[in-house]
Amino acid sequence: MSATRGFFITFEGPEGSGKSSQAKRLVTALRRTGRRVVSLYDPGTTVVGRRLRRVLLHERLALSPLVEALLFIAGRVQLITQSIRPALAQGAVVVCDRYHDSTMAYQGYGGGLPVAWLDRLGRWAIAGLMPDLTIVLDLSPEAGLRRVKGAKDRMERKALAFHRRVRRGFLTIAKCSPRRCVVLDATQPPNRIHRQILNTVSARLLAHHP
């Protein structure tokens, strides 16, 4: 991230981990300190991303893991071009709900695509733009899926064995990137998780902009 003045944070985790709620709480907390914060989600935010999100998650289509991966990556490229890079160039803190690691976990570890190949493809497409900090909220898929309310999307409807592989994928990614990834126990009370995230983010931002 040396080419930008901003700071890039992503939230990752299996279904029901609470990452979306925690990402929103972080955005609110950082804005209260006077920081300029851009809140995004992947896929989504852009027009292209929203349309791809509907196809990927809400339409009952038979999509292979490769098709899923390519569509997720396409939406991510648009999100980077339209939102992430401009915000970072202006010095903003960018908080994004899911990013490259989700494609690795879901379509790679979960869906069976070659992980190393998918990682190379994904990083090439995003021109190597990786987060400064990734918060991984971890819990068992059994516990996570019990938290899901209402109609389930395509990913949530996949078999339990798939979700177990996804969780292992996130933990493997975090283990391989210990400087970037911080794993938190998502079974803790939400307020405690929020405090842990705030402490982590505050320390990283201080180091980034002493």
Side-chain angles (χ1 to χ4, degrees):
M1 293 302 301
S2 60
T4 64
R5 292 176 286 111
F7 194 81
F8 187 16
I9 303 169
T10 56
F11 277 76
E12 300 284 8
E15 305 299 330
S17 61
K19 59 175 184 50
S20 298
S21 297
Q22 290 294 342
K24 291 175 182 176
R25 292 185 68 172
L26 175 63
V27 167
T28 299
L30 290 176
R31 284 175 176 165
R32 284 174 180 162
T33 68
R35 290 185 180 274
R36 180 168 182 265
V37 184
V38 175
S39 178
L40 306 170
Y41 59 96
D42 176 12
T45 306
T46 68
V47 173
V48 170
R50 287 193 293 272
R51 291 179 180 176
L52 288 174
R53 186 181 186 88
R54 184 170 65 248
V55 170
L56 283 160
L57 299 181
H58 301 298
E59 294 187 6
R60 291 186 174 271
L61 300 171
L63 303 177
S64 71
L66 178 58
V67 171
E68 290 176 354
L70 293 175
L71 291 177
F72 276 120
I73 291 169
R76 188 166 302 129
V77 171
Q78 183 67 20
L79 183 64
I80 289 169
T81 303
Q82 185 173 326
S83 302
I84 298 177
R85 284 197 185 279
L88 291 173
Q90 294 172 14
V93 176
V94 174
V95 178
C96 192
D97 183 348
R98 296 205 184 280
Y99 194 64
H100 172 76
D101 294 330
S102 278
T103 300
M104 295 292 296
Y106 279 79
Q107 284 70 50
Y109 290 95
L113 292 179
V115 171
W117 171 83
L118 184 58
D119 190 30
R120 290 194 300 272
L121 174 65
R123 287 177 187 257
W124 172 83
I126 63 178
L129 181 61
M130 292 296 287
D132 296 291
L133 171 65
T134 297
I135 304 293
V136 181
L137 296 179
D138 176 57
L139 81 170
S140 71
E142 292 88 348
L145 291 171
R146 284 196 297 268
R147 294 180 176 182
V148 176
K149 306 298 182 184
K152 294 183 177 181
D153 64 31
R154 284 186 67 255
M155 296 301 161
E156 294 164 348
R157 291 195 300 269
K158 290 181 181 287
L160 185 59
F162 169 85
H163 290 286
R164 286 172 176 162
R165 294 194 299 272
V166 168
R167 183 196 186 190
R168 288 196 297 270
F170 278 124
L171 293 177
T172 300
I173 291 166
K175 185 177 181 180
C176 293
S177 303
R179 296 184 63 182
R180 174 172 65 88
C181 298
V182 174
V183 180
L184 299 177
D185 178 2
T187 65
Q188 300 177 94
N191 286 341
R192 182 181 300 171
I193 297 172
H194 177 59
R195 288 194 298 272
Q196 292 172 346
I197 291 170
L198 269 183
N199 290 339
T200 299
V201 170
S202 297
R204 296 292 184 95
L205 286 174
L206 182 61
H208 188 69
H209 292 296

